[in-house]
Amino acid sequence: MAEAAAQHQGGTPPTLDQAIHAEGMEPVGTVAHEGVVPHTDPEAVGMDATAWVSLAMAAFIAILLFKKVPALIGSVLDGRIAQIKEQLAEATRLRAEAEALKGEYEAKLAAAAGEADAMRKAAEHEAEGLIADAKVNADALIVRRQKMAEDKIGAAERAAIVAIRAKAVNAATTAAAVLIAQGHDAQADKALVDRAITGLGTIN
């Protein structure tokens, strides 16, 4: 330190190594580190942290192998894989059943459509038959009603003729009685009766 002070007093500045030596420190590192002490990893039993971590991992793996953990994990995975396969098989079976049901329903739907079409055609044919029968029955009814009307008219005409004839007979009888009462002779009565009878014969 006295030497550094003497040099400083002499006008020459001390170097870095001289200053470090004057402070009782050893010059380490390069100029870039400016004397900073480099970091060193701690060691135990002659091994650093990396060696201890490697050793711990090796021990852990050894324990896993000793306890048969990989086999256990493999069996669990195998069981899971088998379960997934069963689920896939069940899904495939359900899909096949669904497709079969779909085909069955489509067939039933087609059959129902065919039956509906057949029923519609049968109903149309039956309706046409009923309409034809109704027309025939209506024509027959008209003929029967016309015949009944004609029969009633004929009966009325015959009844009128009978009534007219009865009235004519009554009139002739009355006239004959009047003539007899007036004292006509037999020749006149005969001529009167003949005329009455002749008149009755002209009525239909």
Side-chain angles (χ1 to χ4, degrees):
M1 185 175 181
E3 182 179 321
Q7 290 180 356
H8 180 66
Q9 290 175 356
T12 304
T15 63
L16 180 61
D17 291 338
Q18 292 175 351
I20 292 172
H21 180 70
E23 294 293 332
M25 299 174 61
E26 292 294 333
V28 293
T30 61
V31 178
H33 292 87
E34 296 182 354
V36 178
V37 178
H39 175 73
T40 58
D41 294 331
E43 295 182 357
V45 195
M47 294 190 300
D48 59 1
T50 303
W52 280 108
V53 170
S54 300
L55 181 61
M57 288 297 297
F60 178 73
I61 293 172
I63 292 171
L64 291 180
L65 293 175
F66 179 74
K67 295 294 185 179
K68 298 181 180 180
V69 174
L72 179 62
I73 295 174
S75 63
V76 172
L77 291 177
D78 290 340
R80 182 58 179 167
I81 291 171
Q83 184 180 2
I84 292 172
K85 287 182 178 179
E86 291 179 358
Q87 292 176 354
L88 290 175
E90 181 69 14
T92 303
R93 185 181 63 81
L94 292 175
R95 180 178 180 181
E97 291 180 357
E99 290 178 353
L101 289 175
K102 179 182 178 182
E104 182 179 355
Y105 287 141
E106 288 178 352
K108 289 182 178 180
L109 182 61
E115 291 178 359
D117 187 61
M119 291 176 64
R120 179 182 60 80
K121 291 180 179 179
E124 290 177 353
H125 181 70
E126 185 177 358
E128 290 176 356
L130 291 175
I131 292 172
D133 293 340
K135 289 181 179 180
V136 172
N137 293 332
D139 294 339
L141 180 61
I142 291 172
V143 172
R144 288 196 300 272
R145 292 290 177 87
Q146 185 176 359
K147 183 68 170 56
M148 291 173 63
E150 291 177 353
D151 292 341
K152 286 182 180 181
I153 292 172
E157 289 179 350
R158 288 190 295 273
I161 290 172
V162 170
I164 291 172
R165 285 180 177 176
K167 288 181 179 180
V169 170
N170 290 333
T173 303
T174 302
V178 171
L179 291 176
I180 292 171
Q182 290 178 357
H184 286 180
D185 56 4
Q187 187 66 29
D189 291 339
K190 183 178 181 301
L192 183 60
V193 171
D194 290 338
R195 284 198 299 274
I197 290 171
T198 303
L200 290 173
T202 58
I203 299 174
N204 294 328

